Amino acid sequence: MKLKVWKRLTAAAMVFVMSAGLLAGCGKGKTETNANGEEIVELVWWQIGDAQKDQEKVLAKVNEYTEEKIGVRVKVNTAGWGDYDQKMQVIINTGDDWDLCFTCSWANNYLQNANKGAFLELDEYLKDTEMYSTIDERFWEAAKVKGKTYGVPSEKEIGSMPMWVFTKEYVDKYNVPVDEIHSLEDLEPWLKLIKEKEPGVVPLYLTSSYSAPTYMDLIQNPVGIEYGDETLTVKNLFETEKMKSTLNTMRKYYLAGYVNQDAATASDDKSVKRFVTKGDGQPYAELVWSKDLKYDVVATPIMDTYVTNISARGALTAVNAQTDHPEKAVEFLNLVNTDEYLRNLLNYGIEGEHWNYVDVPEEEAAAAEGKPYVYDKKIALTESTDYRVSYWVQGGLFNTYVLENEPIDKWATFKEFNAESVAAPSFGFDFDLEPVSTEVAGFGNVMDEFGKSLFTGSVDPEEYLPKLQEKLKATGIDKVIEEMQRQIDEWK
């Protein structure tokens, strides 16, 4: 920490001030005084994703703005996608210096960290903030753990929307009616056609991260409640008729040569030509996928969109329970989620260097007039690749500018999508793992052993599904189902 020391201070006083500064540096959230004698708080913010070359340059502009606005500057630390979860476990468990962190249902586990007291209870700090009144209340509902709020949600798509993602070249060439294709079985005639007509193309391209459509809220994989089941009956995924049928279909496709033979172990190789694959989507997802893949794709939803705790907890920012500056941390998050200039600076970088405004076609602007969350501007990213962050990691989406290839009313469509998404019957239920933590801990090993090979059709379910079930039984899945059913009966 840098300390401003007046020249007239005695040597003894200087030593005292410097010592105090060093002690303060051990706390969560550092403070110093600017040239005007005003206190500036520095917050340490951990984010998931790769470090960007121009990150410090962008943060200098961010801090220039936030220091003047609310007396806060931030220091951003990042850890890569494969390392973040483990890194944050170490940081949280060892009491390292941090104030804010990205958390969700699938990385730096929100529920577990909230339950163990790592995250600050935010309710008393949130009630009078602008973001609390503007973010969809279902995100706030999902952010509650035992009735308390421990994170600020990034407002984005709220529902789970698995999609089939088709390469447009082959859709156009063979007039594939993608809007009529939803179930796994709907794919069959088109996989057959591609296999016959396009020998250099993988009909159904899958990787080790693929999971077959489940049609249920997996509260604790592989245990959950089927979508639409108002009785809230807890089931083992692999005992449902839908999953048994799906595994048989996948095996059929694998044996027919529709699936790449290394699917159970493969990482995504964008150079592989494919007809269709599976993605976790949202409105206009095909625009993002097309940009990443560098060729055009079209997508269709596999099933109705349901809101679950997992989907609504897709991205949050939590505050360290030990921070010395809870008010400033929440004030900063409120600014990120409500201030247009700051949100876009964090999201896209510096105007003129990383992006520029572009004109909106008059017809498009006229068609979107009057809709909520429509800005009168679009932007184009420059050739620079020195600042490309994941837009949903830092805050909500609906005050970010849309890109030149996106519709001006993109966020209005997202709002409509969220409004129309149906809450799963189990939405709002959190499973307390404590009584069956040992049993649940064993599920991961069983799924690692059998899940990838079964989901991709790489092994015969007639032989391997009983083996998986036997291992799950031995691990204690029946006890977990019984305990989850007891808890959900009390909850409902």
Side-chain angles (χ1 to χ4, degrees), residues 250-369:
M250 286 305 308
R251 182 59 177 169
K252 176 183 176 182
Y253 288 175
Y254 187 89
L255 292 175
Y258 301 158
V259 178
N260 48 302
Q261 298 299 288
D262 64 345
T265 57
S267 299
D268 190 11
D269 182 351
K270 290 183 173 58
S271 68
V272 174
K273 291 184 177 181
R274 76 286 303 267
F275 168 60
V276 64
T277 188
K278 178 172 171 271
D280 294 319
Q282 69 272 332
Y284 304 118
E286 58 269 28
L287 296 177
V288 177
W289 289 326
S290 296
K291 177 174 171 290
D292 290 344
L293 291 166
K294 295 182 173 56
Y295 56 83
D296 289 340
V297 299
V298 293
T300 184
I302 295 173
M303 64 185 77
D304 291 338
T305 300
Y306 284 95
V307 182
T308 66
N309 281 6
I310 290 175
S311 69
R313 289 173 179 165
L316 306 98
T317 301
V319 178
N320 189 346
Q322 305 302 317
T323 184
D324 290 335
H325 301 285
E327 294 89 353
K328 284 297 182 185
V330 174
E331 189 177 7
F332 173 74
L333 290 177
N334 184 63
L335 198 65
V336 169
N337 284 283
T338 59
D339 187 289
E340 181 181 326
Y341 170 77
L342 176 61
R343 184 69 191 92
N344 285 283
L345 177 60
L346 280 165
N347 197 53
Y348 295 118
I350 301 167
E351 180 188 359
E353 185 166 349
H354 302 112
W355 59 273
N356 292 293
Y357 289 113
V358 295
D359 293 332
V360 178
E362 290 184 10
E363 287 185 7
E364 187 178 353
E369 189 173 353

Side-chain angles (χ1 to χ4, degrees), residues 147-197:
K148 305 295 183 183
T149 309
Y150 294 91
V152 173
S154 295
E155 191 175 18
K156 56 186 189 70
E157 77 281 357
I158 197 169
S160 174
M161 191 182 189
M163 307 183 84
W164 297 123
V165 186
F166 299 87
T167 301
K168 191 172 184 296
E169 174 187 350
Y170 307 116
V171 169
D172 292 345
K173 184 174 180 179
Y174 297 106
N175 296 314
V176 181
V178 292
D179 292 340
E180 299 173 13
I181 298 173
H182 301 292
S183 71
L184 183 65
E185 291 73 19
D186 290 343
L187 292 171
E188 185 169 12
W190 305 103
L191 299 179
K192 184 174 185 293
L193 181 144
I194 295 296
K195 173 71 174 173
E196 293 172 353
K197 302 287 189 179

Side-chain angles (χ1 to χ4, degrees), residues 25-30 44 46 77 91 95-99 320:
C26 298
K28 311 293 188 295
K30 304 178 180 64
V44 176
W46 274 95
N77 294 329
I91 288 168
D96 275 10
D97 187 356
W98 66 279
D99 300 280
N320 189 346

